[in-house]
Amino acid sequence: RLVEQSEGMAASLEHWERALAIIPDHPEVLGRYAAGQVGRDDTKALAAYEGALAAGVKATDTFLAASSLADKLGDTDKAIGYAEQAVAGQPDHVAGWRLLWRLFKAKADSAGIERAAGEVVRLLPDDGDAQLEVARLSKNRKDFAAALAHYDAAIAAFEKAKDGSADSLKAALAEQTSLHKELKILRKAPRGSAKKVVGTVQWRAQQVYEERLKKSRRLKGNVQIDVQT
């Protein structure tokens, strides 16, 4: 500890390594040795963090450090496992949810992405990127009311931000406008006889279907219409 405090981590690393040879399962020694190896030998660093966790360490930062290293070393599944344990112990840890969000995107796990980004939204409602992510996923699930609400929140956040969010704002506005146009066909209430109303709604629904069909050769599902006369 004295060498680390006076001369830095690099100088202390060999001393932590000697300590490990004497007390190989000591949580603090494993943690300090792991921290010293990060960026030098990430495989050894991860092994040491895993040793600390096996020795009973439950610190959120240790789980996140192990997760980040596992991701860096190419083991996304292991990284997700450690990050999940981190947020399980500290559900309001924004960095943990952001890490999970990125890891789930790497796996193309839509449900995981929406859960992690949704937690970021819960903790930071002004996070435009998270709001936009949830808006897109809600739209894909055909939850249009939720999608529009998250688009609104994303746009408000990007307009408020001073960090060069112009491209994100433009994308959010374009996607929101497109969704509004798509829904407008079904929102506009036709008038007339019951037969005319039903026919008009069915015609508009067919328009929506045909537009989507042009964009996707693997279109699945159907359109559910509730007609009140």
Side-chain angles (χ1 to χ4, degrees), residues 79-92:
I80 289 173
Y82 285 135
E84 288 278 22
Q85 291 181 77
V87 296
Q90 198 169 339
D92 292 343

Side-chain angles (χ1 to χ4, degrees), residues 29-89:
V29 176
L30 284 163
R32 297 315 304 156
Y33 175 74
Q37 286 289 13
V38 172
R40 294 183 175 84
D41 189 327
D42 289 329
T43 300
K44 287 183 178 180
L46 177 57
Y49 277 128
E50 290 178 328
L53 293 170
V57 173
K58 301 298 181 185
T60 300
D61 288 347
T62 303
F63 280 119
L64 291 179
S67 176
S68 296
L69 283 168
D71 178 42
K72 188 176 180 181
L73 292 170
D75 194 336
T76 306
D77 289 332
K78 180 183 282 191
I80 289 173
Y82 285 135
E84 288 278 22
Q85 291 181 77
V87 296

